[in-house]
Amino acid sequence: MQKLINTSNETIHGFFDLLNQNQGVLTLSLFVATILIGWISGIFKALRQRPRLLVKLIDGPTFCCTFLTGRKHKNFDTHRTGIALYLNISNLGSAPTSITSIEVGYHWHLRPLSMVWLKFRIGWFWIKHQSISLDDFQADIGDSVKIFPFLTQRNRLSPSESKTYLRIGESTNGVVYFEQEESWGGCFPHHHKGKTKIKLLIKDTSGKKYYSIHKIPIINLEEAKKYNPRFGETLAEIHGEFLTTREIEIKEASERTP
């Protein structure tokens, strides 16, 4: 027994002698381990602190409108499409962020079995840049006029400021507006029971992309101009064109699609 105790004491003393001899190595090892643990915990903390945007559509100026331009291309009437979306965007994540861009996609109303059909009827046609609306979106409520705030541009008739920076738990409302360049045939949003399906892409400063799919109503140009008297005129104004007020009949246009 005494021999076993002596052996244990020698082992313990040898262990402590080894620690004393390698104190610098152990100190360095502990330092590296501390840095590594801190780095790993920092990564997980950063992963936890990320923004998360939730996108909803609000009733009001949320619609799609395709209208004739009064010109022709190869005996086909040409048309433009305008889309207005009244958005509510909330930051449900754990870090603030700022909205950098908004894009909208939709399926064209094309006949099947062609490369264009595969690309833009099965796939999505994207408008990657918003159009500047030439007037505010508004609605008559009794004797008053409600001005809808824009999300990324300034209102003309209202002092409201656009808000695209969202802290944790904050939300923002605003209208975004898009116009498709002059097209012909079935190069306009596919429709079903008076609605069309759109796909929104929102990008933020953290590099994240947020996709959401919605269905919005299709209305004629006369109804669209009740919300905005200069709806659909942005690209015509840019190109110096004279825009007629004739609205498109979607059914007739689709029947003329080659």
Side-chain angles (χ1 to χ4, degrees):
M1 176 64 71
Q2 184 65 37
K3 184 178 181 180
L4 179 60
I5 293 173
N6 292 336
T7 303
S8 299
N9 289 335
E10 290 175 1
T11 302
I12 293 172
H13 285 301
F15 176 71
F16 281 107
D17 289 339
L18 181 63
L19 289 178
N20 290 329
Q21 294 172 8
N22 296 277
Q23 186 174 5
V25 176
L26 290 174
T27 302
L28 179 61
S29 299
L30 289 173
F31 177 71
V32 172
T34 302
I35 292 178
L36 184 61
I37 292 172
W39 180 65
I40 293 174
S41 63
I43 290 177
F44 282 108
K45 183 178 181 181
L47 290 176
R48 289 194 302 269
Q49 293 182 343
R50 300 184 67 182
R52 182 167 68 90
L53 299 182
L54 176 65
V55 182
K56 296 180 181 179
L57 295 184
I58 307 175
D59 292 336
T62 295
F63 56 83
C64 172
C65 176
T66 300
F67 51 90
L68 293 172
T69 65
R71 290 182 293 276
K72 289 185 177 291
H73 176 80
K74 296 181 179 179
N75 295 323
F76 290 92
D77 292 327
T78 65
H79 49 74
R80 280 201 175 98
T81 294
I83 293 180
L85 303 172
Y86 191 20
L87 302 181
N88 171 263
I89 304 177
S90 304
N91 183 5
L92 304 183
S94 55
T97 191
S98 185
I99 300 166
T100 57
S101 67
I102 301 176
E103 303 176 14
V104 66
Y106 45 85
H107 301 298
W108 274 355
H109 193 72
L110 298 170
R111 292 184 179 180
L113 302 180
S114 68
M115 291 302 296
V116 177
W117 175 79
L118 287 173
K119 185 176 181 180
F120 296 130
R121 177 64 183 89
I122 302 301
W124 299 88
F125 170 79
W126 286 95
I127 301 181
K128 295 182 177 294
H129 303 286
Q130 297 179 52
S131 298
I132 300 298
S133 178
L134 300 179
D135 206 342
D136 291 344
F137 284 85
Q138 52 200 273
D140 294 331
I141 302 178
D143 296 331
S144 302
V145 177
K146 175 179 174 57
I147 305 299
F148 295 96
F150 286 111
L151 185 64
T152 57
Q153 73 174 79
R154 293 179 64 91
N155 284 83
R156 186 176 66 86
L157 302 175
S158 170
S160 61
E161 297 286 341
S162 60
K163 178 183 176 183
T164 56
Y165 179 77
L166 298 177
R167 296 181 176 86
I168 301 170
E170 285 189 337
S171 64
T172 184
N173 297 340
V175 178
V176 293
Y177 177 62
F178 301 86
E179 282 187 19
Q180 179 183 323
E181 284 284 359
E182 185 175 5
S183 306
W184 59 282
C187 303
F188 57 85
H190 178 70
H191 57 91
H192 179 66
K193 295 183 178 180
K195 292 189 175 182
T196 188
K197 182 187 295 185
I198 64 165
K199 189 173 186 179
L200 273 177
L201 167 58
I202 296 180
K203 300 177 183 178
D204 69 7
T205 49
S206 68
K208 290 192 66 176
K209 298 179 179 180
Y210 306 87
Y211 290 95
S212 59
I213 294 178
H214 313 269
K215 287 186 177 180
I216 61 174
I218 295 175
I219 65 176
N220 59 41
L221 187 59
E222 182 180 357
E223 293 174 323
K225 285 186 174 294
K226 291 179 182 178
Y227 280 105
N228 189 323
R230 301 206 63 185
F231 181 91
E233 297 182 11
T234 300
L235 293 181
E237 185 78 19
I238 292 174
H239 299 322
E241 302 166 358
F242 172 73
L243 183 68
T244 68
T245 56
R246 292 190 300 158
E247 69 186 52
I248 190 172
E249 293 293 336
I250 300 294
K251 182 177 178 180
E252 292 181 2
S254 63
E255 291 175 353
R256 295 195 296 270
T257 304

